[in-house]
Amino acid sequence: MTPPRAFTRSCTGDSRRSGAAGSAVLPTLEGQRPLMVELQALTNKVTPGSPPRRSAHGVDPGRLALLLAVLERRARLPMYQHEVFVSAVGGVRIADPGADLALCTAIVSSLTDHPLAPDVVILGEVGLAGEVRQVVHAQRRLAEAARLGFTRAVVPANSPAGIDGITLHRVSTVAEALAVCGMRGSGGAS
């Protein structure tokens, strides 16, 4: 098992993710070492009148609440109607603001039951206005993703030049990222 793949399902022999809805791969850094981490989300519609539960394992619960508010307000998704459970695979703790966009896409993937492509990685910090911001050491992260066989990346619009072997899909907002990933960027979800 290659250490940079240690926190994705690919370490179990799968080439990449299984294609289940609610899963996104984040190229992050642990110290100076790039690491691919799978973020998983599960959403469940709540009974009207019941408060939705939120649970975060390996992800800051305050950051999760902020991202759910951004999805509700900026992407017009009915997050108030759903329980949301998120987890970083392998028990790793993610403090990287560059995980925001991957977490948002994992949540919406679960909400819409639309799996993300298995060859894509996602990174970017998400601001309160729904804008996607640059992350530090993006090229190092993307180079490792390309080395591990990922061929596409959803990145902030102002990301540095591309890396051989990986196609960059540049986005300015969360709604654009959802559209690039084949999910609705506004309106309701089932």
Side-chain angles (χ1 to χ4, degrees), residues 1-8 10 24-39 88-94 96 99 121-123 137 140-145 147-148 150:
M1 171 171 55
T2 309
R5 294 171 65 130
F7 299 106
T8 66
S10 60
V25 174
L26 163 72
T28 190
L29 294 173
E30 183 174 297
Q32 293 297 312
R33 190 179 88 204
L35 183 70
M36 300 301 116
V37 175
E38 181 179 2
L39 298 176
V89 170
V92 68
R93 296 206 46 81
I94 301 294
D96 178 6
V121 293
I122 302 170
L123 73 152
H137 303 297
R140 181 182 299 159
R141 298 170 189 228
L142 294 172
E144 184 64 21
R147 188 182 77 75
L148 292 174
F150 292 94

Side-chain angles (χ1 to χ4, degrees), residues 32-107:
Q32 293 297 312
R33 190 179 88 204
L35 183 70
M36 300 301 116
V37 175
E38 181 179 2
L39 298 176
Q40 293 181 335
L42 178 66
T43 59
N44 189 41
K45 195 157 185 144
V46 296
T47 306
S50 298
R53 289 184 295 168
R54 291 7 182 155
S55 177
H57 297 288
V59 177
D60 175 32
R63 196 71 185 169
L64 173 61
L66 179 143
L67 294 173
L68 292 173
V70 169
L71 288 171
E72 176 95 27
R73 184 79 172 179
R74 305 300 177 199
R76 299 186 188 338
L77 294 167
M79 302 312 303
Y80 69 94
Q81 296 176 349
H82 294 84
E83 297 176 317
V84 179
F85 305 91
V86 298
S87 178
V89 170
V92 68
R93 296 206 46 81
I94 301 294
D96 178 6
D100 291 354
L101 191 59
L103 192 54
C104 285
T105 55
I107 291 166

